[in-house]
Amino acid sequence: MLAAFAVVITPLVIALAIASSQVNALALQAQASVMRAATYGEQSRALDDALLAMERTVRQGHVLGAAEVIDAYGRQRERLLRAAAQLGGPTAVPRERIDTVKAQEELVFSTLQSDGSAIALVHWPALASACTALIDAAGQAVAADREAMVVRPTQVVHAVFGFAAL
């Protein structure tokens, strides 16, 4: 009788263990998704703020002609590059988007150092466009992640009911 009881309860225990692991995986996936979305929000804001501050600095240098502009720009430059790298880190952003931002920023910075802020401003729209494309790509990755999180709970519910039916 105990053997029959063990045979009957074993599939239930296995189903419960599998269902528990499915729910745990869902919870971990949801937690990771929330963290990626939060990072996206923070870093896209930081990237946008750094870009705006850099443009303001270059325009001030154009008007004032001050050598301190390069130092101020350098500080903002580090913020922008760090935000771009972190924005691409947790999301499925193509690496070339980040590389494009870095290349455009390097062009603006080298132009600022050699030719001055008036010429650097000519290259500014390409840098702004590259940053916008990076933010958009990261936003699309977060949206795709969100869409996956909408479908996943339904899949887990079906799996749990399937195991319960067994």
Side-chain angles (χ1 to χ4, degrees):
M1 190 146 145
L2 283 175
F5 183 69
V7 167
V8 169
I9 198 133
T10 300
L12 293 174
V13 170
I14 292 171
L16 184 60
I18 292 172
S20 175
S21 71
Q22 291 279 326
V23 170
N24 188 37
L26 176 63
L28 291 175
Q29 184 181 5
Q31 182 181 17
S33 179
V34 167
M35 292 303 294
R36 284 189 294 271
T39 299
Y40 165 73
E42 291 170 7
Q43 297 311 319
S44 62
R45 234 180 344 270
L47 183 71
D48 197 39
D49 290 348
L51 186 67
L52 183 63
M54 289 165 61
E55 183 180 17
R56 188 178 317 120
T57 300
V58 171
R59 289 191 186 281
Q60 286 173 347
H62 180 62
V63 172
L64 301 175
E68 296 84 25
V69 167
I70 292 176
D71 292 335
Y73 182 90
R75 286 189 298 275
Q76 296 303 325
R77 174 182 195 229
E78 291 173 15
R79 274 184 56 205
L80 179 111
L81 295 175
R82 186 174 45 249
Q86 290 178 352
L87 189 59
T91 58
V93 173
R95 183 71 193 164
E96 56 268 4
R97 296 280 187 191
I98 298 168
D99 293 341
T100 301
V101 168
K102 288 180 180 180
Q104 291 297 326
E105 192 287 321
E106 183 60 40
L107 177 64
V108 170
F109 187 58
S110 64
T111 304
L112 179 64
Q113 290 176 317
S114 61
D115 299 329
S117 55
I119 305 299
L121 286 172
V122 171
H123 299 293
W124 197 263
L127 175 59
S129 176
C131 288
T132 300
L134 175 60
I135 290 171
D136 289 345
Q140 290 171 355
V142 168
D145 195 28
R146 185 182 63 239
E147 290 299 319
M149 285 305 303
V150 168
V151 173
R152 181 77 173 126
T154 304
Q155 293 171 338
V156 170
V157 166
H158 290 308
V160 169
F161 281 136
F163 289 124
L166 282 173

